[in-house]
Amino acid sequence: MSGIYIHIPFCKQACHYCDFHFSTSTKKKAQLVEMLCKELEIRKDELGEDSIETIYFGGGTPSLLTSEELDLIFKTIFRYYEVSENAEITLEANPDDLSEAVIKMLDASPVNRLSIGVQSFFEADLKLMNRAHNAEEALQSLKLAKQYFDNISIDLIYGIPGLTNEQWKENLKIALDLDIPHISSYALTVEPKTALEKFIEKGKVKPVADEQYREQFDILVSSLTSKGFEHYEFSNYGKPGYHSQNNMAYWLGKPYLGIGPSAHSYDGNFRKWNISNNSLYIHSIEAGNLPQQSEQLSNTDSYNEFVMTRLRTKFGVSATDLGNKFGDKFKLHFLKESKKFIEDGLMEIRQETFHITTKGKFLSDGIAADLFYIE
């Protein structure tokens, strides 16, 4: 199986924490959509004869696409690619875009899963992050979406400056009361060169203490798992039958095609990434050139990625798989370096597979980094 990721690099306004590639000007949107379709055509043979199991519209804000633009992209995909009958087709949406007319339009399209960027149900949080929607729009968009879509995911952010543990619990309660079947939840990260970083540097926003991140993560895990959600990846929680197939494919190392400015692709051996500039992307594709760079992954790179992604998931790292995929050198390195984490109760072995324990979950990325093989 393979997947297609389509990057829609437009937003109404810039969130204060975001460092993704986007533009707040939509003047070139129609032209860029045409170039997305042309890139899909140019690269139609890259995935071989693999069927497409997942299609994901990310961004940016894909819910800014018109029905005509979305239809053009789908017609191109179905013309040049073999799409599975049961493919998961996700579109990221902002609450302020999801009027009933837009939701009906999406329901009539091949989209069968919505990922809605709620982030918080509290007005103060949304203003601090400079989100385009308000708390009422967040609630109403979900109530409307549930009338047309069964498979809905929402994003929620913890570790927001000023967000108390009690407010965080209330955010989760609202989502649970709405019976949302999938929740992706991330700690608010202060990325370089963002407005949030500048606010903290100038003392306008107080940074969040590490203990609060940990406390709110623990609240998140206990609140959702007690209500039947499986914590199947560090930042993702789903009820049975509602796990993100798109994200699972990334973590399991399956090939995918990244279309659009700044989009990344992976075929098992190479990573490719498109230029993060809308105008240069348009001009290159118009001329029939792919504006991308690539790198071939070494065996060490592949091992490190395998450890990083698998330890974040419910699958864990199989010692047998390590030996079969990468050889005894890497397997023995992993077995040796993991001993200290097992002794500290941060990792455990179940049926020859290494997993991060509940105690170690919040530290999973750091644990994985310590298990990397450094040439």
Side-chain angles (χ1 to χ4, degrees):
M1 81 172 253
S2 296
I4 295 176
Y5 171 83
I6 299 173
H7 189 77
I8 307 299
F10 300 102
C11 288
K12 290 179 181 176
Q13 61 192 51
C15 296
H16 287 157
Y17 57 87
C18 183
D19 68 342
F20 290 172
H21 170 65
F22 67 92
S23 171
T24 54
S25 170
T26 57
K27 290 180 180 178
K28 296 181 179 179
K29 181 158 70 79
Q31 188 180 12
L32 190 132
V33 168
E34 289 182 20
M35 294 306 105
L36 295 177
C37 294
K38 187 168 183 180
E39 185 184 359
L40 281 164
E41 180 182 356
I42 292 171
R43 303 178 69 186
K44 65 183 184 297
D45 297 321
E46 281 192 31
L47 296 175
E49 297 182 0
D50 279 5
S51 63
I52 303 301
E53 297 285 347
T54 64
I55 299 171
Y56 193 98
F57 290 82
T61 312
S63 50
L64 291 176
L65 292 172
T66 65
S67 59
E68 293 78 14
E69 290 166 342
L70 197 58
D71 185 54
L72 181 62
I73 294 171
F74 277 125
K75 283 181 177 177
T76 305
I77 292 173
F78 285 99
R79 179 180 178 183
Y80 293 110
Y81 299 82
E82 184 66 36
V83 179
S84 170
E85 184 179 349
N86 299 314
E88 177 191 86
I89 303 177
T90 304
L91 183 133
E92 290 183 353
N94 278 357
D96 49 301
D97 293 328
L98 292 180
S99 64
E100 187 161 14
V102 169
I103 292 173
K104 283 183 176 180
M105 178 270 286
L106 294 172
D107 181 47
S109 79
V111 172
N112 54 31
R113 182 174 184 270
L114 291 181
S115 176
I116 303 176
V118 170
Q119 316 306 1
S120 176
F121 292 102
F122 286 95
E123 204 68 44
D125 297 338
L126 298 173
K127 287 181 178 178
L128 183 145
M129 294 185 287
N130 200 40
R131 296 291 295 171
H133 68 278
N134 58 42
E136 180 61 24
E137 287 172 325
L139 284 170
Q140 291 306 313
S141 69
L142 293 175
K143 291 175 181 177
L144 272 174
K146 281 176 59 64
Q147 295 177 30
Y148 296 89
F149 284 86
D150 172 59
N151 199 349
I152 296 173
S153 176
I154 65 170
D155 290 345
L156 290 176
I157 293 179
Y158 60 93
I160 299 171
L163 178 70
T164 66
N165 288 352
E166 289 306 310
Q167 289 173 322
W168 179 230
K169 290 177 184 177
E170 181 63 20
N171 261 331
L172 295 170
K173 182 178 183 302
I174 292 170
L176 290 169
D177 287 347
L178 287 166
D179 196 24
I180 302 301
H182 187 278
I183 295 174
S184 295
S185 191
Y186 310 91
L188 183 63
T189 306
V190 182
E191 300 290 353
K193 300 180 181 179
T194 58
L196 180 60
E197 181 189 53
K198 292 177 183 176
F199 294 154
I200 290 175
E201 288 175 351
K202 293 178 180 179
K204 293 182 178 180
V205 173
K206 186 178 179 180
V208 176
D210 289 343
E211 313 89 73
Q212 188 168 352
Y213 281 115
R214 179 58 190 257
E215 287 172 6
Q216 293 186 359
F217 175 77
D218 289 342
I219 290 169
L220 170 69
V221 175
S222 61
S223 297
L224 296 185
T225 55
S226 68
K227 296 296 184 180
F229 284 78
E230 183 178 9
H231 188 192
Y232 68 100
E233 192 272 341
F234 180 79
S235 300
N236 287 270
Y237 307 76
K239 289 189 174 180
Y242 291 96
H243 296 182
S244 168
Q245 298 308 305
N246 174 78
N247 293 349
M248 295 273 276
Y250 291 156
W251 303 320
L252 293 175
K254 295 181 179 179
Y256 60 90
L257 203 61
I259 302 296
S262 81
H264 284 59
S265 305
Y266 174 69
D267 66 4
N269 295 305
F270 284 86
R271 289 210 177 277
K272 301 176 183 178
W273 56 96
N274 287 346
I275 192 169
S276 297
N277 182 296
N278 290 358
S279 294
L280 292 178
Y281 170 83
I282 289 170
H283 292 150
S284 294
I285 297 294
E286 273 184 326
N289 301 318
L290 293 175
Q292 62 182 206
Q293 293 179 280
S294 67
E295 65 173 350
Q296 184 171 12
L297 299 181
S298 66
N299 201 34
T300 299
D301 294 332
S302 296
Y303 161 82
N304 291 341
E305 285 199 9
F306 182 87
V307 169
M308 172 64 79
T309 54
R310 290 300 181 98
L311 280 181
R312 286 178 61 96
T313 71
K314 67 175 183 177
F315 305 107
V317 174
S318 161
T320 301
D321 283 349
L322 284 179
N324 292 340
K325 287 176 177 290
F326 308 108
D328 287 342
K329 177 178 75 171
F330 291 98
K331 176 182 175 179
L332 293 173
H333 169 79
F334 182 90
L335 294 175
K336 176 185 175 184
E337 297 301 321
S338 63
K339 285 182 180 178
K340 58 181 178 289
F341 297 114
I342 293 171
E343 291 170 359
D344 292 340
L346 301 177
M347 290 180 68
E348 61 185 359
I349 305 172
R350 301 196 302 268
Q351 297 177 337
E352 296 188 10
T353 300
F354 292 72
H355 297 268
I356 301 289
T357 62
T358 300
K359 178 183 175 183
K361 276 188 183 295
F362 193 70
L363 306 171
S364 59
D365 284 351
I367 293 171
D370 282 349
L371 296 171
F372 284 175
Y373 190 92
I374 308 299
E375 297 284 9

